[in-house]
Amino acid sequence: MEVDKVVRLPRLSRVAVCGGTHGNELSGVYLVRELLKGRKEVMEKEKKNEVEEKEQQQQQQQPPSVLAVLANPRAVEQCRRYVDTDLNRCFTHAALKGPSSGAVPYEVIRSRELNATLGPKGGPGAVELVCDLHNTTANMGLCLIAYSDRDWICLHIFRHLQRQMPDIPMRYIHFDVSNKETYSLDSVGKHGFAMEIGPQPHGVVRSNVYAAMKAGVQHMLDWVCFFNSGSTFEGEYVDVFTMIKHIDYPRDSETRNITAAIHPRLQDRDFCLLRPEDPLFQTFSGETLRYEGNEALYPFFINECAYYEKGIALSLARKRRVMVPAIRVQTEERAQVDEAGVEE
Amino acid sequence: MEVDKVVRLPRLSRVAVCGGTHGNELSGVYLVRELLKGRKEVMEKEKKNEVEEKEQQQQQQQPPSVLAVLANPRAVEQCRRYVDTDLNRCFTHAALKGPSSGAVPYEVIRSRELNATLGPKGGPGAVELVCDLHNTTANMGLCLIAYSDRDWICLHIFRHLQRQMPDIPMRYIHFDVSNKETYSLDSVGKHGFAMEIGPQPHGVVRSNVYAAMKAGVQHMLDWVCFFNSGSTFEGEYVDVFTMIKHIDYPRDSETRNITAAIHPRLQDRDFCLLRPEDPLFQTFSGETLRYEGNEALYPFFINECAYYEKGIALSLARKRRVMVPAIRVQTEERAQVDEAGVEE
């Protein structure tokens, strides 16, 4: 009976590691370039007749095939978040299937190219896992952001990273939107998440943030390798932060310019409980404005640069403990057993 | 004889406080908007027949006339450093007097407008003092940046700010270029400096940085008021950091992409002495590159976002102690005495 408590999930054959979805979030840009360079070096090695040895290694370890993708090369070139529109909002079915004639924004065209390479979204041919690399100006440490709080692959990867990188503050954020509304690049994979690390100014790369991202990606790929090779991962509880609402800056009613900044006592305190009546903003003339909500919630994306234009000064989450079951890869033999229903 | 040791300098009748010279350096943008709003409120008060009382106060205190200027409104609108070219490099005599037909970049046009309002540069009608507000992603605290290490007005203002704001790390940076080569907005005034505060990501406003800038500007205006009103400011020594050279990132010889970031042991350590062989960069593959110079120097603008495109990873300065003489305003009576040469 004990075996039955282990959830069996399909092998993760292909993992996409994407950076530069926002062209000025530089850790991911340079990490993907490093991965692409590494692949070039691997390919050169292979030319030197080392292919056989490598294949033997792979058969033992069962690593996934890794696709490194620079998602928005034109925005990267200009070191801007985007050229025409935010690429990471272009992966809805509506945008992917919309008209392709007329003035189609660059990022919409690019989202369709990426969907062709990594998807199609929702289809059987989509890559098994998309890890999309992001940076934030908020003091958020390393976060995995996903649409599901019951994607056991993402949640087990998160726990693995937490264990492997104990010095990095780490949280799992859940954006609760229905399947039809998912809009970001990571939604193209069968599983997917954004790996968001901060604080780092956009247009800047900081060694410590780059190193954390590199380690995070390496541990993620290691985990996939362990998973594919047949390791069982024990069930456990995971804290999940589910996004509840966004709060905008106070704005001038005429000009729509902001009239206050995040209060100094809230700045950099992402994931520290915000209670009713706590200081929220400080106006440019020096007045304190307080949190008027009724429920204590966890703030995050506090003072994220790119969200000024989206009308988001911070987001608020509710924390929940989620029981994540033990998982193991579904072997071919096992899949046949499952299909025959013998142990169901 | 003691009186003769006091350098007499002309009154500072008009002070320009400029923000948004770089449109994404937001502390100055919001501070100038606040000043403009304040002036609007003052004007409304004046309408309410409070003019007389105000004039009496002014005669006692002798405050300067303050011009608040949003220097690059189009870049501010787009929250970018600039639209066509860096405005803060457009105030050379060559750019100001260049051809006005053909495809003149927006910022060159704007520099001429500003020169007409605040200058003309080098002319007798120029404003007495330009304070241009900037932010940096580098951990520089509050810096005054000027072209002269013997501008006693700027150096006394610096000392006043140091005394009034003891909790803010503060330095005086000297860019040693000849008069003909000065290129920044503050060079339009008879005296001028950039007030540079960080760390703050571009496109973000942090309450603590905004508050430091607001206090810095207020103390500067207070000092000008004291000066105009006849206070004597004692002579004293000031540490001046003179810029010696810039260091670029290591770059790929083909793509020109950077191949390393500032080393974690150097990051955020602006104005901490960098010695030969100290770690300088960490490559994206993890290697440490060391400082190969022969002389220990003071690094600043470490990892400034806007300087990636200028090929500057950090700048290096030599520290010197400058004797700043006592100063006092040149009164009209005194000016006559000086002209007659009685006490010379």
Side-chain angles (χ1 to χ4, degrees):
Chain A
M1 282 298 286
E2 201 164 70
V3 174
D4 282 6
K5 288 179 183 167
V6 177
V7 174
R8 301 280 184 151
L9 295 167
R11 184 182 309 281
L12 303 168
S13 308
R14 291 164 305 156
V15 177
V17 178
C18 306
T21 300
H22 295 134
N24 58 0
E25 299 180 11
L26 296 190
S27 302
V29 170
Y30 289 111
L31 183 51
V32 163
R33 282 189 177 146
E34 200 62 19
L35 291 172
L36 290 167
K37 210 169 100 182
R39 198 168 64 177
K40 209 171 147 190
E41 280 162 16
V42 167
M43 284 164 69
E44 278 161 9
K45 269 192 189 169
E46 283 176 354
K47 277 182 199 161
K48 291 175 187 165
N49 296 324
E50 292 176 26
V51 183
E52 215 171 308
E53 189 190 339
K54 200 176 174 311
E55 275 181 357
Q56 278 176 357
Q57 278 179 6
Q58 282 189 348
Q59 276 166 8
Q60 284 162 10
Q61 293 180 358
Q62 310 216 16
S65 147
V66 177
L67 295 85
V69 179
L70 201 63
N72 193 338
R74 239 186 248 183
V76 169
E77 188 69 29
Q78 298 179 32
C79 198
R80 292 167 62 179
R81 184 175 175 87
Y82 55 80
V83 176
D84 291 330
T85 188
D86 190 337
L87 174 61
N88 215 30
R89 303 294 180 275
C90 292
F91 293 90
T92 57
H93 285 289
L96 291 171
K97 288 173 184 165
S100 53
S101 60
V104 182
Y106 167 70
E107 276 81 4
V108 172
I109 295 169
R110 188 66 189 135
S111 71
R112 291 167 189 171
E113 290 171 0
L114 290 163
N115 190 47
T117 312
L118 307 178
K121 176 172 174 167
V127 296
E128 279 72 26
L129 178 61
V130 173
C131 167
D132 191 28
L133 304 173
H134 289 266
N135 290 119
T136 173
T137 58
N139 185 27
M140 281 168 61
L142 189 158
C143 294
L144 299 196
I145 307 179
Y147 292 113
S148 170
D149 59 351
R150 12 186 321 118
D151 184 318
W152 312 138
I153 295 290
C154 295
L155 282 156
H156 270 285
I157 288 172
F158 173 71
R159 278 298 294 137
H160 181 70
L161 265 57
Q162 269 193 322
R163 264 190 293 264
Q164 296 297 318
M165 303 166 70
D167 297 338
I168 308 282
M170 215 174 283
R171 284 91 177 189
Y172 188 98
I173 299 174
H174 167 220
F175 272 68
D176 187 15
V177 303
S178 80
N179 256 334
K180 279 191 184 167
E181 295 168 317
T182 64
Y183 48 74
S184 56
L185 173 52
D186 53 77
S187 72
V188 170
K190 293 200 178 87
H191 307 270
F193 56 82
M195 185 184 289
E196 182 83 63
I197 314 191
Q200 180 175 272
H202 300 325
V204 160
V205 57
R206 292 174 63 95
S207 280
N208 62 330
V209 173
Y210 174 84
M213 187 175 273
K214 191 174 177 180
V217 168
Q218 194 51 60
H219 289 305
M220 181 268 293
L221 293 174
D222 287 349
W223 185 90
V224 173
C225 189
F226 298 146
F227 174 78
N228 285 349
S229 306
S231 301
T232 299
F233 300 92
E234 299 302 323
E236 55 186 325
Y237 286 98
V238 171
D239 282 335
V240 169
F241 290 86
T242 300
M243 200 280 284
I244 300 298
K245 62 176 170 183
H246 304 303
I247 295 183
D248 191 13
Y249 293 94
R251 290 179 189 266
D252 182 276
S253 55
E254 279 176 46
T255 62
R256 302 307 298 152
N257 291 332
I258 67 171
T259 56
I262 293 291
H263 195 281
R265 279 165 60 186
L266 176 61
Q267 178 68 52
D268 299 330
R269 293 178 60 81
D270 299 71
F271 299 106
C272 299
L273 199 59
L274 180 75
R275 295 183 173 83
E277 297 303 315
D278 279 351
L280 195 58
F281 297 108
Q282 190 165 63
T283 68
F284 294 129
S285 54
E287 195 191 343
T288 293
L289 306 178
R290 293 174 181 278
Y291 172 49
E292 293 176 354
N294 298 317
E295 182 186 357
L297 291 169
Y298 292 88
F300 65 104
F301 277 129
I302 297 175
N303 208 353
E304 158 54 36
C305 174
Y307 292 174
Y308 280 65
E309 68 173 26
K310 294 190 198 293
I312 301 174
L314 68 155
S315 300
L316 292 171
R318 203 172 281 142
K319 185 162 82 170
R320 247 170 54 256
R321 187 147 275 204
V322 170
M323 178 60 212
V324 179
I327 65 168
R328 198 175 175 187
V329 72
Q330 198 172 54
T331 56
E332 277 173 39
E333 306 80 45
R334 176 76 198 181
Q336 284 167 358
V337 171
D338 286 350
E339 263 177 46
V342 174
E343 293 196 31
E344 300 278 307
Chain B
M1 282 299 287
E2 200 166 69
V3 173
D4 281 6
K5 289 180 183 165
V6 177
V7 175
R8 301 279 183 152
L9 295 168
R11 186 182 307 281
L12 303 168
S13 308
R14 290 163 307 155
V15 177
V17 178
C18 306
T21 301
H22 296 135
N24 57 2
E25 299 180 10
L26 296 191
S27 301
V29 170
Y30 289 112
L31 183 51
V32 163
R33 281 188 177 146
E34 200 63 19
L35 290 173
L36 290 167
K37 209 169 99 182
R39 198 167 64 176
K40 207 171 147 191
E41 279 162 16
V42 168
M43 284 164 71
E44 278 161 10
K45 268 192 190 169
E46 283 175 354
K47 278 182 198 160
K48 288 174 189 167
N49 295 325
E50 293 175 27
V51 183
E52 214 172 312
E53 190 191 340
K54 201 175 173 315
E55 274 180 0
Q56 277 177 357
Q57 278 179 6
Q58 281 188 347
Q59 276 165 9
Q60 284 160 10
Q61 295 180 357
Q62 310 217 17
S65 147
V66 178
L67 294 85
V69 178
L70 201 63
N72 193 338
R74 239 186 247 181
V76 168
E77 187 68 29
Q78 297 178 32
C79 198
R80 292 167 63 180
R81 183 174 177 87
Y82 55 79
V83 176
D84 291 330
T85 189
D86 191 337
L87 174 61
N88 215 29
R89 303 294 179 274
C90 291
F91 294 90
T92 59
H93 285 290
L96 291 173
K97 288 171 182 166
S100 53
S101 59
V104 183
Y106 167 68
E107 276 83 5
V108 172
I109 295 168
R110 187 67 189 135
S111 71
R112 292 169 188 171
E113 290 172 359
L114 290 164
N115 190 47
T117 311
L118 306 178
K121 176 171 172 166
V127 296
E128 279 71 26
L129 178 61
V130 173
C131 167
D132 192 28
L133 304 173
H134 289 266
N135 291 120
T136 173
T137 58
N139 185 27
M140 282 168 59
L142 189 158
C143 293
L144 299 198
I145 307 179
Y147 291 113
S148 170
D149 58 352
R150 10 185 323 117
D151 184 319
W152 312 139
I153 295 291
C154 294
L155 283 156
H156 270 285
I157 288 173
F158 173 71
R159 279 298 293 138
H160 181 70
L161 264 58
Q162 269 193 321
R163 264 191 293 264
Q164 295 299 318
M165 303 165 71
D167 296 339
I168 308 282
M170 217 174 282
R171 284 93 175 189
Y172 188 97
I173 300 174
H174 168 219
F175 272 68
D176 187 14
V177 303
S178 80
N179 255 335
K180 279 192 185 166
E181 294 168 320
T182 63
Y183 48 74
S184 56
L185 173 54
D186 51 78
S187 72
V188 169
K190 292 199 178 88
H191 307 270
F193 56 81
M195 185 184 290
E196 181 82 65
I197 315 190
Q200 180 175 273
H202 300 325
V204 161
V205 56
R206 291 175 62 95
S207 280
N208 62 331
V209 173
Y210 174 83
M213 186 174 275
K214 191 174 177 181
V217 168
Q218 193 52 60
H219 289 306
M220 181 267 293
L221 293 174
D222 287 349
W223 184 90
V224 173
C225 188
F226 298 146
F227 174 76
N228 285 349
S229 307
S231 301
T232 299
F233 300 94
E234 298 302 324
E236 56 185 325
Y237 285 98
V238 171
D239 282 336
V240 169
F241 291 86
T242 299
M243 200 280 283
I244 300 298
K245 61 176 170 182
H246 305 302
I247 296 182
D248 191 12
Y249 294 93
R251 291 178 188 269
D252 184 276
S253 54
E254 279 176 47
T255 62
R256 303 306 299 153
N257 291 331
I258 68 171
T259 56
I262 293 291
H263 196 280
R265 278 166 60 187
L266 176 60
Q267 177 69 51
D268 300 329
R269 292 178 60 81
D270 299 71
F271 298 104
C272 299
L273 200 59
L274 182 75
R275 296 184 172 81
E277 297 304 316
D278 278 352
L280 195 59
F281 297 109
Q282 191 166 64
T283 69
F284 294 129
S285 55
E287 196 191 343
T288 292
L289 306 179
R290 291 173 184 278
Y291 172 49
E292 293 175 355
N294 298 317
E295 181 187 359
L297 291 169
Y298 293 87
F300 66 103
F301 276 130
I302 298 175
N303 208 352
E304 157 54 36
C305 175
Y307 291 175
Y308 281 63
E309 68 172 25
K310 295 189 197 292
I312 301 174
L314 67 156
S315 300
L316 292 171
R318 204 172 282 141
K319 186 163 81 170
R320 246 171 55 258
R321 188 148 275 205
V322 170
M323 178 61 211
V324 179
I327 65 168
R328 194 174 180 190
V329 71
Q330 201 172 49
T331 55
E332 277 173 41
E333 305 79 44
R334 176 76 198 179
Q336 284 167 359
V337 171
D338 287 350
E339 262 176 50
V342 175
E343 294 192 34
E344 299 277 310

